[in-house]
Amino acid sequence: MARETWARHAAHEAAVFGLPAVLIYRQMHAQAIDASAPGFVGFNRFAHGRNLAGPGYEAFKTPNADTLYSNAYLDLTGGPVLLEVSATNGRYFTANFLDMFGNATNISARTHGTSGGRFLIATTDWGGEVPDGTTLFRVTQPYMWILLRIEAEDDRALPVARALQDRFAIRSQGQTGTRRAFPRPGSLADVTSLLTVLDWVVENAGVRNSERALVHRFRGLGVGGPLSVAEALDDPRTLAGARQGLADAAMVIDRVKRQKSADAGGWRETFDPGRYGHNYLFRSGIHSLGTGANVRLENFSFTTFSDAEGQVLDGSRHEYVLRFESPPPSEFFWSVTVYDLRTQELVPNAQGKYLVGSNTEGLKIASDGSVTIRLSRRAEGPNAIPVPEGPFYLALRAQGPRRELLDGSWRPSPVRKEQR
């Protein structure tokens, strides 16, 4: 019984700590490792999404619908790669670098302007020569995810945005990475699969020095130790405890994902996703809602699952109105997007419309400077967004937040039921 209790607690901790790594590894495996997968391109190559995200978008949950996405997974075990950044001539872009645990940093319009450049992407232990005309950009792990976003305000902007995608390129420097055995990921509810992937990440991508003591506690489950996960879980008591620990963690992470903030009206500020420190529960909650979160200086975001009365947003029961006294203050653009609560995906609708924002054609701003957005299944007019016939949530994003967002003097108003 003691082994089962220990395994339950250890697996709970391991799942809370490791879920982001498992989610990102699953994406990496499909694009860079599994040659039979539909979207396979291999390491150190971009896979470009040529259309704006819509319902059924597969790469990750809760996607933007006003940027084109490109994804690349880097293998730096053989040395650095060169990233060529296209000049975008004022159009917003961000190359969001994420390690295997989702910690983020950027090469973007905000950090480096829109004139383009060449960047040598190298781990912190690399000590070679940097070519002339090239900027050294350090990353913390030999396996990294680049999530490239390029602004595309609507379908008419796609030719320009696609041309820019093609001018972003990754060049290897002639070296070959170390080939390792990559485990095939299974169900997130399978504790053996989850721990096996986490063990691979710990051994091959590494953890911060400050996390080594924590990870050492998982050795009895086969993570980072002499036993394999299969050997550790061959004991029935350990397996039973680990299964329950994973179920416990999944329940807690789901609650964290949905919890409301202290702000009135249910809007939850996502604090600083991409810089989680040691708040592993917050990190897992963010990643279970959607991987690829950016730092707040790049993308200041809020989510809400409820209206001003604390009731779950539900398109089968109500229509809603969201009124901002002034538009969200941003250097580049802002948007409010609707997602289905069950699938965490964009909502299919006849109009093919998923958001309202500063780039919305015909957006109406009142004479007092306010912006009113209507949320209904009919969604008539430029300031309206279709909602599903069931529970949904909203994401508000401001790309390049201004001071009023950063210092807290601007906050979104609550979503209210439309009075008929």
Side-chain angles (χ1 to χ4, degrees):
M1 197 64 182
R3 287 198 308 277
E4 187 171 335
T5 301
W6 171 85
R8 179 174 181 173
H9 287 289
H12 181 279
E13 276 196 301
V16 169
F17 172 79
L19 178 63
V22 175
L23 291 169
I24 292 174
Y25 179 90
R26 288 162 65 88
Q27 297 169 186
M28 182 178 77
H29 193 274
Q31 180 171 315
I33 299 166
D34 182 4
S36 66
F40 173 80
V41 297
F43 281 110
N44 302 338
R45 292 184 62 190
F46 276 115
H48 297 302
R50 298 302 197 179
N51 296 300
L52 294 169
Y57 183 78
E58 295 182 351
F60 46 86
K61 298 298 185 181
T62 318
N64 293 2
D66 42 15
T67 64
L68 285 188
Y69 282 111
S70 301
N71 291 278
Y73 291 90
L74 303 183
D75 178 356
L76 306 178
T77 56
V81 298
L82 186 68
L83 174 65
E84 296 180 353
V85 173
S86 171
T88 62
N89 302 315
R91 184 172 292 272
Y92 176 78
F93 81 95
T94 176
N96 187 193
F97 287 77
L98 300 113
D99 69 17
M100 294 298 292
F101 291 94
N103 301 298
T105 188
N106 303 80
I107 296 173
S108 68
R110 174 185 65 87
T111 61
H112 293 84
T114 62
S115 299
R118 292 159 54 91
F119 297 84
L120 191 69
I121 314 303
T123 54
T124 53
D125 59 354
W126 180 80
E129 294 293 325
V130 179
D132 291 341
T134 302
T135 300
L136 178 63
F137 188 83
R138 296 282 191 182
V139 295
T140 57
Q141 292 182 340
Y143 293 94
M144 298 292 297
W145 173 23
I146 302 179
L147 177 54
L148 174 65
R149 300 173 177 92
I150 298 176
E151 179 182 5
E153 52 270 28
D154 53 35
D155 285 345
R156 292 173 298 179
L158 289 179
V160 173
R162 289 167 179 164
L164 290 174
Q165 284 180 311
D166 290 334
R167 293 200 287 272
F168 282 78
I170 299 168
R171 313 288 186 195
S172 67
Q173 302 302 288
Q175 68 277 10
T176 302
T178 303
R179 295 294 92 189
R180 292 180 167 91
F182 296 95
R184 180 173 292 277
S187 167
L188 292 174
D190 180 353
V191 70
T192 301
S193 173
L194 184 141
L195 293 175
T196 298
V197 171
L198 179 58
D199 175 55
W200 185 94
V201 173
V202 167
E203 293 287 358
N204 295 284
V207 297
R208 292 176 291 187
N209 288 337
S210 59
E211 296 170 339
R212 289 184 176 180
L214 172 65
V215 173
H216 188 82
R217 301 212 293 267
F218 309 151
R219 288 165 65 90
L221 298 173
V223 175
L227 292 177
S228 69
V229 172
E231 291 169 334
L233 299 188
D234 187 53
D235 172 61
R237 292 286 191 185
T238 302
L239 177 60
R243 283 174 171 165
Q244 187 58 54
L246 175 56
D248 294 343
M251 180 270 293
V252 173
I253 291 168
D254 185 66
R255 295 291 177 86
V256 167
K257 177 178 69 178
R258 298 168 187 248
Q259 72 182 5
K260 293 189 294 184
S261 70
D263 288 349
W267 283 103
R268 176 189 178 193
E269 179 188 334
T270 50
F271 300 106
D272 201 358
R275 292 178 181 168
Y276 306 99
H278 295 92
N279 191 341
Y280 305 125
L281 186 55
F282 170 59
R283 186 173 74 180
S284 283
I286 291 293
H287 280 75
S288 66
L289 191 60
T291 56
N294 221 323
V295 296
R296 69 186 303 183
L297 289 175
E298 196 73 38
N299 168 25
F300 202 109
S301 61
F302 299 85
T303 55
T304 186
F305 298 81
S306 60
D307 64 19
E309 299 170 8
Q311 297 178 352
V312 172
L313 298 171
D314 190 333
S316 68
R317 301 180 64 186
H318 303 286
E319 296 182 340
Y320 301 90
V321 63
L322 172 61
R323 181 182 181 275
F324 297 138
E325 292 186 5
S326 61
S330 59
E331 292 294 335
F332 300 105
F333 63 94
W334 63 267
S335 60
V336 174
T337 309
V338 170
Y339 300 94
D340 185 283
L341 181 58
R342 181 181 58 84
T343 64
Q344 299 174 215
E345 295 178 359
L346 297 163
V347 178
N349 63 82
Q351 299 179 47
K353 185 177 182 182
Y354 314 111
L355 60 83
V356 164
S358 54
N359 284 334
T360 298
E361 184 179 9
L363 179 71
K364 294 180 179 178
I365 300 177
S367 59
D368 62 0
S370 65
V371 178
T372 299
I373 299 172
R374 286 186 163 76
L375 306 158
S376 73
R377 294 195 299 280
R378 293 175 298 169
E380 298 171 350
N383 285 39
I385 319 174
V387 299
E389 192 168 353
F392 65 93
Y393 63 99
L394 303 178
L396 165 61
R397 299 179 175 94
Q399 307 291 345
R402 291 180 178 162
R403 176 183 52 78
E404 297 91 337
L405 266 172
L406 297 173
D407 67 15
S409 58
W410 190 97
R411 284 292 181 268
S413 307
V415 180
R416 300 187 185 279
K417 296 180 180 69
E418 180 113 55
Q419 301 300 317
R420 294 288 182 180

